[in-house]
Amino acid sequence: MGPVSLLSEYQKLSIWTGDLANMTHLQAGLSPETIEKARLELNENPDVLHHDVQQVRDMIITRPDIGFLRTDDAFILRFLRARKFHQADAFRLYAQYFQYRQLNLDMFKNFKADDPGIKRALIDGFPGVLESRDHYGRKILLLFAANWDQSRNAFTDILRAILLSLEVLIEDAELQINGFILIIDWSNFSFKQASKLTPSILKLAIEGLQDSFPARFGGVHFVNQPWYIHALYTLIKPFLKDKTRKRIFLHGNNLNSLHQLIHPEFLPSEFGGTLPPYDMGTWARTLLGPDYSDENDYTHTSYNAIHVKHMSSNLEREYSPNPMKRSQSVVEAGTLKHEEKGESENTQPLLALD
């Protein structure tokens, strides 16, 4: 074997070990169980991870109309995971992520926790985020719909707060694989409030959450929903994918059906769980820092390190009311009730309303 052949073999080995080190970095922090779950459920193969990421990156040239503001490996990887490593689908989601931001520039100006509109929404519990994860390792998000004070929070600011929260949470590679659960409590949500949920703003939310964000939602659970929420479903149904419809569950006030899917030990007492009542300030304190106070407006935030630096700074570079206390859910513990099996038929996914 001549010197040229030896050099060639050495170069190949260097490239291989370099790729292996890079992939180890991309999967750093993942438990062995999660790595195996990614392999089985998402088709994630560490041996070809760099190739998969590069294949998606190579497609950027096909969309010159979109400014792809982040192209690093770790960022692209979350889109592959969200689409089970189907490269074309992952790129489509990747492109839609940035296209949605280009089409809705006002939503992403000053896209950080200390933006006044986002801050108010966070203080009012939009969204709530439980500290513990469920038995599948999924993060549980809560929305108490009746807390929407329409004189205080624009719907778009609530949506911005939700999207920002997801941006922070999705930095956790475990959640890229395990995903999220969303529970929406419609207790005391009035018809007047529901009338403000127009098709256009519902479409905006669906496009932002379903079509343009790399999160895996294992279920969206409605509890205590009134009849007009059924009517709202008919408005949003044309915008929902079949896969999404099948993951929306309508529980009414039947805790048994909810607990069959999310164990009580992972839920606060409002939902018949064994955890204490949810404190609306929990997630806001996480994002806004130690100076959080739900009795005062904010003049300072320590949330600089964990908000999505790449997105907010690049968007700003590229594109250039009265405080109120909301520290507790509007739902009293025990409002929801247990029902015997067969007592209620209102436990099917919303798809079953067809």
Side-chain angles (χ1 to χ4, degrees):
M1 182 178 295
V4 175
S5 298
L6 283 172
L7 179 61
S8 177
E9 292 301 316
Y10 175 77
Q11 288 174 330
K12 289 178 182 178
L13 179 61
S14 297
I15 293 171
W16 181 83
T17 54
D19 284 349
L20 181 61
N22 189 36
M23 292 310 102
T24 302
H25 171 71
L26 285 177
Q27 291 189 321
L30 293 177
S31 67
E33 295 78 14
T34 302
I35 291 175
E36 180 65 6
K37 181 177 183 178
R39 184 184 72 82
L40 293 175
E41 297 185 12
L42 307 185
N43 305 307
E44 183 168 326
N45 182 350
D47 295 334
V48 294
L49 213 50
H50 179 72
H51 175 266
D52 290 335
V53 168
Q54 188 59 45
Q55 287 291 103
V56 173
R57 188 184 288 115
D58 288 344
M59 297 180 195
I60 290 176
I61 196 173
T62 67
R63 294 298 305 270
D65 56 313
I66 295 176
F68 292 87
L69 302 182
R70 281 191 65 179
T71 60
D72 54 283
D73 288 357
F75 189 71
I76 292 175
L77 179 57
R78 65 187 63 174
F79 293 90
L80 282 162
R81 285 170 170 162
R83 291 297 179 263
K84 296 187 175 182
F85 280 80
H86 188 286
Q87 295 168 4
D89 289 347
F91 176 74
R92 188 175 302 112
L93 179 62
Y94 181 43
Q96 288 171 337
Y97 174 91
F98 287 111
Q99 186 174 44
Y100 181 79
R101 281 148 180 74
Q102 287 181 196
L103 294 174
N104 301 284
L105 286 177
D106 287 344
M107 286 181 57
F108 296 96
K109 288 179 181 176
N110 199 35
F111 188 54
K112 49 189 178 181
D114 60 1
D115 171 83
I118 292 177
K119 184 189 301 183
R120 284 193 299 270
L122 290 170
I123 293 168
D124 288 0
F126 295 107
V129 180
L130 296 184
E131 295 181 10
S132 60
R133 306 179 186 191
D134 78 349
H135 52 295
Y136 292 117
R138 301 174 296 191
K139 201 70 170 174
I140 301 175
L141 278 62
L142 307 175
L143 292 177
F144 293 94
N147 276 5
W148 180 23
D149 181 345
Q150 294 167 352
S151 67
R152 174 177 164 84
N153 291 313
F155 181 85
T156 51
D157 285 333
I158 291 175
L159 178 58
R160 292 171 73 217
I162 294 170
L163 288 170
L164 177 65
S165 298
L166 287 171
E167 290 281 6
V168 173
L169 292 166
I170 205 67
E171 291 290 327
D172 185 340
E174 292 269 345
L175 293 179
Q176 294 172 20
I177 295 166
N178 293 327
F180 300 87
I181 292 292
L182 175 62
I183 304 175
I184 307 177
D185 187 352
W186 298 98
S187 301
N188 303 317
F189 188 71
S190 69
F191 184 85
K192 182 179 180 181
Q193 287 174 302
S195 69
K196 303 298 183 181
L197 295 174
T198 63
S200 60
I201 63 174
L202 289 171
K203 185 172 182 288
L204 182 69
I206 292 166
E207 288 174 347
L209 295 168
Q210 173 189 256
D211 302 326
S212 308
F213 197 84
R216 305 182 67 219
F217 279 94
V220 178
H221 301 269
F222 288 8
V223 298
N224 278 336
Q225 70 283 348
W227 65 266
Y228 36 87
I229 296 304
H230 289 259
L232 279 175
Y233 172 71
T234 65
L235 293 177
I236 67 173
K237 182 179 175 181
F239 307 119
L240 295 178
K241 298 175 181 177
D242 287 342
K243 187 175 182 180
T244 302
R245 291 191 204 127
K246 293 175 182 177
R247 292 180 177 175
I248 299 178
F249 295 88
L250 187 67
H251 299 283
N253 60 3
N254 183 358
L255 282 176
N256 287 333
S257 63
L258 178 66
H259 293 168
Q260 287 170 9
L261 300 171
I262 308 174
H263 298 169
E265 57 265 34
F266 303 111
L267 294 171
S269 60
E270 293 94 328
F271 304 104
T274 60
L275 299 178
Y278 183 70
D279 178 351
M280 287 295 172
T282 299
W283 182 239
R285 280 190 290 270
T286 299
L287 298 191
L288 291 166
D291 294 326
Y292 169 87
S293 169
D294 61 2
E295 295 178 347
N296 300 287
D297 202 2
Y298 294 93
T299 57
H300 169 75
T301 176
S302 64
Y303 177 57
N304 294 312
I306 59 177
H307 83 264
V308 185
K309 296 178 291 185
H310 298 276
M311 274 304 302
S312 61
S313 61
N314 284 338
L315 277 170
E316 290 170 4
R317 185 166 59 247
E318 184 86 5
Y319 301 117
S320 338
N322 295 326
M324 65 183 292
K325 184 174 181 179
R326 284 296 176 90
S327 60
Q328 199 66 46
S329 161
V330 297
V331 184
E332 296 293 336
T335 296
L336 300 179
K337 66 178 183 179
H338 291 275
E339 296 185 3
E340 298 299 326
K341 291 183 179 179
E343 183 177 342
S344 172
E345 297 178 356
N346 196 27
T347 63
Q348 298 300 314
L350 283 174
L351 188 63
L353 294 174
D354 297 345

